Amino acid sequence: MQPAPEQSPHHAYPDHWEADVVLRDGGTARIRPITTDDAERLVSFYEQVSDESKYYRFFAPYPRLSDRDVHRFTHHDYVDRVGLAVTVGGEFIATVRYDRIDERGRPASAPADQAEVAFLVQDAHQGRGVASALLEHIAAVARERGIRRFAAEVLPANNKMIKVFRDAGYTQRRSFEDGSVHLTLDLEPTAESLAVQRGREQRAEARSVQRLLAPGSVAVIGVGRTPGGVGRTVLRNLLGAGFTGRAYAVNRAFAAGQATVDGVPAHRSIGEIDEPVDLAVVAVPADRVPEAVADCGEHGVQGLVVLSAGYAEWGAEGRDRQRELVRQARSYGMRIIGPNAFGLINNAETVRLNASLAPEPPAPGRIGLFTQSGAIGIALLSGLYRRGAGLSTFISAGNRADISGNDFLQYWYEDPDTDVALLYLESLGNPRKFTRLARRTAAVKPVVVVKGARHSGSTPPGHAVPISRIPDATVSALMRQAGVIRVDTVTEMVDAGLLLADQPLPAGPRVAILGNSESLGLLTYDACLAEGLRPRPPLDLTTAATPQDFRNALAEALADDGCDSVVVTAIPWVGEDGEAESGDGEVLAAALHTAAAAGPAKPVAVVHVEIGGLAEALAAATSTVAQPRPAPAPAQNPTAPAARTGSTTPPGPAPAPAAPLADAPGTTPPVGAPGARNGRIPAYPAAERAVRALAEAVRYAQWRRQAAVPGKVPEFLDDTIDEPGTAGLIDTLLGPDPDPRGLQLTPGQARELLGRYGITVRPTLPAPDPDAAVAAAARLGYPVALKTTAPHLRHRADLGGVRLDLANETALRRAYGELTGLLGKPAELQPVVQSMAPRGVDTVVRAAIDPAAGAVLSFGLAGAPSELLGDTAHRLVPATDRDAAELIRSIRAAPVLFGWRGAAPVDTASLEELLLRVSRLVDDHPEVVSIALEPVVVATQGLTVLGASVRLSPPPARTDLGPRRLPNY
């Protein structure tokens, strides 16, 4: 909403303060600044507030607002006086206002940094978390306007408002003065306030998803009058799944006297339905959707599944239509799956919801599946159905204009019916938030992701998202840092999901292989080595092996403390006449089930070749089908992995990497504990597929063990970091009106900036002619290096642009002549002289702000390993001490740093410290958008930074900080 013309021209309407938020009950509301056009809305709102709430606000009976009050509460300068309103359906449901005051409590202007704040929430909307959301937003506005503290006067009986302030997590002081409670809040965000904010965000967004997945009633809008069509198909699937709630068919074309369609009540509009409708499935042409949304919003529908196409996937006009759809739905407090969605499924026995176009819904189970593509969703459902897998929930979000994979991660995090989360994503609307949520969810249950549209410029139509400049390999590395299991294909996702849902996590990489085919065993052995596992020599049971032989061998392997998992390989038996026999797959499956159930909790996978009935029999006791869990065990198996649980309690610390995976207390026992093994054993038609799934489980289990004892971000308590001085230097360099394109620092400026964080860059001196080079060398001291700094020759020793170990003037003049004679004139080469560094390994350290992924720290060996082979490792900023250690060890060329071929190991401790200093610099100062230290020569003792490049820019917008808000695509 734009302000009226009479609004003060000195402070324009701050439209960036507008935000859609999810409230505690899962509904949505809009927060925006109050303008002079809101007088009637304010009066109407106030009339609906109870006398008690008015008394709490004004400390006296205050039945109505005077004209002067209305003028004061609707006229703001958006600096010293600010008012925000929460709206639903365009009407106010709550307001908040601050007025800047001085130390005596009188009206003031800047530089006064305190403001008095007051809230008023309609009684009908109290308890929905409205005031808490308003406090987050008004605090962010106040900080933007230079206000550092809020003061509030609250009556002692107003317990709800006192609790809002108390629970916000800000540093606060309380006193009792003149019959009221005086509260002072420091508005600087704290770790506690951020944790409170994210906890509320998680509960609200999870609740908004739950309202869609567990409706008490569903209306399908667009049900055809004759069989066929999308609406009629959805209604048939809804009824076929045995939906436990009430179903309605809606079509404005129904005859006035038509009572039912397919046995359910038929209506021409939502408004004709006498009972509340929780969820509406919209299957009408795009031009009729706004009418349907308005009908739903005006009659209290809580959420929408929009199957209709014709939105952002159709171009600019469709994108505008999609944005208007989201605005319209959110204005009524509704959330949307879609548009262009395939639907959603909830297999919980108390719901049995199939509001999708899937004709064959999967069996109930413990896997949650989210996909942005209907076609991929169909393929995944078909594949899971064939393999006997069960799902807890399925969502195909289409253009995901509102509800996204992030929302479902919030829901699955604490969903007790989901043990594994599978996501097919084609775009990441908020990558930083996705990484944060995925890391938290992966700490309690596996998250497996396939990322489609991986290459630059291939974002699917309809997905308006930030464009990332980093390569897909970097995205994959950052996902793995967050504990996400990143796979390349949907087949691999299903393979990994089945193993993770059905089997305990492995305690390590040691694999036992047994079977009745030596060749298949060797293929499995080779696959294990290729995936970095530690396979034992395959045990060949020979082609004469019976199911009892398989049972005995599996029992023995599981009991062996020298193995962490078992791969069973099986081919058809060869009969006495030499003909291959498929054998009795059910008998072999029973033998394997018996051995697995009786043995220690270790994962088992089966690789089979054309054994009839084996895969089906192994899947018969499908554990992805929900079943009662045993009571918590009194003690944890020493090799048991962490419980995959819906608890919101994070896993506890483990004493060492070899310790058991952390268990979330108060829920189910660890999946590796005796009795917790699921009955289903996953079967694979190829050794490579089974081993790849097992390897992913091994790497994930290792991440879980490490995540139980998180790394730390060192504080560097010495005097080598000057954060305030660096901030002042950055402000000076950028100037009062910084260029939005950024500023590339000169070498001297970069050296000064880095030096304030304890990063010393070896100085260089310009050498525009031989005499200047000799003078520079005399100043620096021999031996020296002569380098070109022209952009096309920088760091290109292979082209002759660098001459090293020049021990005297004669050598320097000769090198200068050769350099200019070979490559060009000094003015083109821009040569410099630099003193020689101790011998070591040349490395490169970089940090950059990516608009999609955030701040990324990178490391590799300088030259061909990183530039030609892409051997570079990446971590998100801020990096911990563990991240820094893993960063230098995760590149393929890492052995060079640790004494390869008898060389002396270099000083990796100094390298880790440098990485942490760079990380902290970028984290402390978001204006530093790019740093490149190249080369960094790491010697046996210490390191030397020979070159540095730093770029500054106005701080980019952070979508993962600040008050809660829904994204606008």
Side-chain angles (χ1 to χ4, degrees):
M1 170 177 289
Q2 296 299 318
E6 64 266 22
Q7 189 70 48
S8 169
H10 300 293
H11 304 292
Y13 177 83
D15 54 9
H16 63 286
W17 293 352
E18 296 181 352
D20 294 318
V21 297
V22 183
L23 302 177
R24 182 181 301 157
D25 61 359
T28 65
R30 186 160 186 80
I31 295 177
R32 64 168 177 82
I34 297 175
T35 75
T36 55
D37 294 332
D38 289 321
E40 291 184 8
R41 293 185 186 87
L42 182 65
V43 172
S44 175
F45 155 74
Y46 194 78
E47 289 174 348
Q48 298 176 63
V49 175
S50 70
D51 291 339
E52 180 183 52
S53 294
K54 293 174 182 175
Y55 186 88
Y56 284 154
R57 169 63 175 86
F58 293 104
F59 292 19
Y62 216 89
R64 65 185 58 84
L65 295 175
S66 67
D67 291 343
R68 181 179 179 182
D69 292 329
V70 173
H71 183 274
R72 183 163 64 96
F73 292 149
T74 55
H75 286 67
H76 307 93
D77 61 10
Y78 301 129
V79 177
D80 299 326
R81 302 180 308 282
V82 172
L84 301 181
V86 182
T87 67
V88 173
E91 299 301 321
F92 286 7
I93 66 168
T95 62
V96 64
R97 174 185 172 90
Y98 81 64
D99 293 88
R100 195 188 299 257
I101 57 175
D102 60 19
E103 65 278 0
R104 297 183 180 180
R106 298 175 301 186
S109 298
D113 61 358
Q114 181 170 269
E116 186 176 35
V117 66
F119 296 77
L120 186 60
V121 181
Q122 262 183 21
D123 298 67
H125 295 277
Q126 293 178 10
R128 301 184 65 199
V130 175
S132 299
L134 264 181
L135 178 57
E136 290 179 19
H137 283 261
I138 195 68
V141 167
R143 289 193 297 268
E144 181 182 328
R145 296 311 195 198
I147 292 171
R148 298 291 173 259
R149 293 183 306 281
F150 272 163
E153 300 289 338
V154 185
L155 289 174
N158 193 357
N159 294 318
K160 292 180 180 179
M161 200 65 241
I162 293 175
K163 188 174 188 300
V164 168
F165 288 118
R166 185 185 67 228
D167 294 348
Y170 295 114
T171 302
Q172 57 184 272
R173 294 174 295 281
R174 277 196 290 177
S175 61
F176 189 77
E177 302 174 11
D178 299 327
S180 65
V181 178
H182 181 79
L183 294 163
T184 302
L185 277 72
D186 293 335
L187 300 184
E188 186 65 27
T190 65
E192 182 181 357
S193 68
L194 187 60
V196 168
Q197 177 180 313
R198 289 178 172 173
R200 288 171 173 165
E201 173 192 65
Q202 187 274 324
R203 290 187 294 271
E205 292 179 359
R207 175 59 180 154
S208 72
V209 171
Q210 184 184 36
R211 298 203 317 177
L212 294 166
L213 287 172
S217 56
V218 176
V220 181
I221 303 175
V223 174
R225 290 170 290 176
T226 58
V230 173
R232 197 69 173 260
T233 299
V234 172
L235 181 62
R236 183 184 67 242
N237 294 342
L238 182 70
L239 300 176
F243 177 54
T244 59
R246 301 176 304 280
Y248 304 96
V250 177
N251 188 334
R252 66 179 183 180
F254 285 156
Q258 186 167 352
T260 63
V261 172
D262 291 342
V264 304
H267 299 276
R268 289 185 290 183
S269 69
I270 296 292
E272 289 185 0
I273 302 174
D274 295 333
E275 298 175 313
V277 174
D278 298 327
L279 176 69
V281 181
V282 181
V284 299
D287 60 349
R288 288 176 47 199
V289 169
E291 176 188 348
V293 173
D295 188 23
C296 292
E298 291 166 3
H299 294 92
V301 174
Q302 296 181 350
L304 305 173
V305 178
V306 181
L307 307 182
S308 311
Y311 288 89
E313 75 278 7
W314 282 18
E317 182 180 350
R319 280 194 295 274
D320 292 340
R321 186 182 298 122
Q322 181 167 298
R323 293 190 182 102
E324 181 56 36
L325 168 64
V326 174
R327 282 194 292 266
Q328 184 186 14
R330 288 179 180 173
S331 73
Y332 289 110
M334 299 183 293
R335 300 210 67 184
I336 298 175
I337 292 178
N340 197 27
F342 188 72
L344 78 163
I345 297 172
N346 182 1
N347 276 328
E349 184 61 26
T350 56
V351 181
R352 298 200 298 272
L353 172 71
N354 179 10
S356 78
L357 297 171
E360 293 289 347
R366 308 196 64 80
I367 297 175
L369 175 60
F370 176 91
T371 172
Q372 291 179 356
S373 163
I376 296 297
I378 295 170
L380 285 168
L381 288 176
S382 177
L384 291 165
Y385 180 80
R386 288 196 307 270
R387 298 178 71 172
L391 295 180
S392 60
T393 46
F394 164 78
I395 308 92
S396 177
N399 294 359
R400 66 113 182 88
D402 181 25
I403 292 280
S404 70
N406 285 348
D407 295 285
F408 277 88
L409 282 177
Q410 300 276 39
Y411 174 77
W412 284 327
Y413 170 66
E414 59 182 8
D415 177 27
D417 295 329
T418 300
D419 286 342
V420 180
L422 308 183
L423 298 97
Y424 171 78
L425 305 175
E426 294 178 341
S427 60
L428 296 175
N430 190 337
R432 300 189 199 203
K433 182 176 179 180
F434 173 81
T435 302
R436 169 169 58 86
L437 300 185
R439 180 191 291 273
R440 185 193 58 192
T441 305
V444 294
K445 60 188 69 174
V447 177
V448 187
V449 170
V450 172
K451 177 68 170 62
R454 291 180 290 177
H455 301 291
S456 177
S458 57
T459 301
H463 293 220
V465 297
I467 301 301
S468 176
R469 291 190 295 263
I470 58 178
D472 182 68
T474 306
V475 175
S476 182
L478 299 180
M479 282 191 178
R480 289 193 179 277
Q481 182 189 359
V484 173
I485 300 171
R486 169 80 182 273
V487 295
D488 294 329
T489 68
V490 293
T491 300
E492 291 177 3
M493 180 167 69
V494 172
D495 287 344
L498 291 179
L499 182 74
L500 292 163
D502 298 329
Q503 297 294 304
L505 293 176
R510 301 168 300 178
V511 182
I513 303 169
L514 61 93
N516 63 349
S517 167
E518 180 181 12
S519 298
L520 191 53
L522 290 174
L523 286 174
T524 305
Y525 182 88
D526 290 342
C528 287
L529 290 176
E531 290 291 341
L533 302 179
R534 291 164 51 191
R536 299 172 60 182
L539 174 62
D540 183 14
L541 302 178
T542 78
T543 55
T546 65
Q548 183 63 39
D549 295 330
F550 274 89
R551 173 180 173 179
N552 295 339
L554 178 57
E556 183 177 348
L558 290 171
D560 187 347
D561 292 336
C563 90
D564 304 307
S565 56
V566 183
V567 177
V568 178
T569 63
I571 63 172
W573 288 271
V574 178
E576 294 181 358
D577 57 359
E579 294 292 329
E581 300 177 1
S582 62
D584 190 347
E586 289 80 2
V587 176
L588 177 57
L592 297 176
H593 276 305
T594 301
K602 299 177 182 179
V604 177
V606 173
V607 178
H608 68 99
V609 178
E610 298 299 332
I611 298 183
L614 176 60
E616 293 79 4
L618 288 171
T622 180
S623 74
T624 53
V625 173
Q627 44 189 287
R629 296 300 182 99
Q636 185 169 310
N637 187 314
T639 61
R644 295 195 290 271
T645 171
S647 170
T648 56
T649 305
L661 288 171
D663 180 28
T667 57
T668 60
V671 291
R677 176 187 295 281
N678 293 322
R680 187 182 190 277
I681 298 176
Y684 302 88
E688 295 79 10
R689 288 173 57 179
V691 171
R692 191 173 296 118
L694 180 60
E696 295 292 359
V698 169
R699 287 188 282 266
Y700 170 68
Q702 174 67 13
W703 181 88
R704 282 275 289 267
R705 282 190 289 270
Q706 293 176 344
V709 186
K712 300 178 180 178
V713 179
E715 292 294 331
F716 293 115
L717 299 179
D718 56 21
D719 58 357
T720 60
I721 286 183
D722 179 11
E723 186 175 343
T726 304
L729 176 60
I730 290 172
D731 288 343
T732 301
L733 291 171
L734 286 175
D737 187 21
D739 188 338
R741 295 173 298 179
L743 170 68
Q744 185 70 40
L745 299 190
T746 66
Q749 293 169 336
R751 189 162 51 248
E752 180 183 2
L753 180 68
L754 294 168
R756 293 177 183 269
Y757 267 67
I759 302 169
T760 301
V761 181
R762 184 156 292 206
T764 60
L765 295 177
D769 55 58
D771 292 337
V774 171
R779 180 177 173 184
L780 296 172
Y782 289 98
V784 296
L786 180 65
K787 308 178 180 181
T788 65
T789 59
H792 65 288
L793 294 172
R794 189 184 298 272
H795 308 305
R796 292 299 306 273
D798 56 315
L799 296 180
V802 179
R803 303 301 170 93
L804 304 175
D805 286 318
L806 305 177
N808 51 50
E809 179 180 342
T810 302
L812 177 57
R813 287 185 180 275
R814 183 172 58 250
Y816 198 100
E818 293 173 352
L819 196 70
T820 54
L822 177 67
L823 298 176
K825 297 178 181 180
E828 300 171 355
L829 303 182
Q830 304 170 34
V832 296
V833 175
Q834 187 175 51
S835 60
M836 286 296 298
R839 293 288 183 179
V841 178
D842 288 2
T843 65
V844 57
V845 174
R846 293 190 177 95
I849 305 294
D850 182 80
V856 179
L857 181 67
S858 305
F859 170 76
L861 298 191
S866 58
E867 295 177 14
L868 179 62
L869 303 178
D871 187 16
T872 307
H874 311 274
R875 292 293 185 275
L876 289 173
V877 171
T880 66
D881 51 359
R882 175 176 291 168
D883 291 330
E886 291 176 352
L887 196 59
I888 65 175
R889 289 163 174 80
S890 57
I891 59 173
R892 296 190 298 277
V896 174
L897 302 170
F898 295 93
W900 184 58
R901 289 188 172 181
V906 301
D907 189 355
T908 54
S910 294
L911 186 55
E912 291 171 17
E913 181 178 326
L914 175 65
L915 288 165
L916 290 169
R917 289 182 182 275
V918 172
S919 169
R920 179 163 170 187
L921 172 58
V922 174
D923 191 45
D924 289 346
H925 305 283
E927 299 90 348
V928 182
V929 295
S930 174
I931 294 177
L933 307 181
E934 184 179 6
V936 177
V937 182
V938 190
T940 55
Q941 294 291 328
L943 56 78
T944 308
V945 181
L946 296 182
S949 172
V950 177
R951 186 171 184 81
L952 304 181
S953 182
R958 291 289 302 269
T959 58
D960 59 329
L961 297 178
R964 290 173 281 160
R965 63 173 59 216
L966 287 171
N968 288 313
Y969 301 124

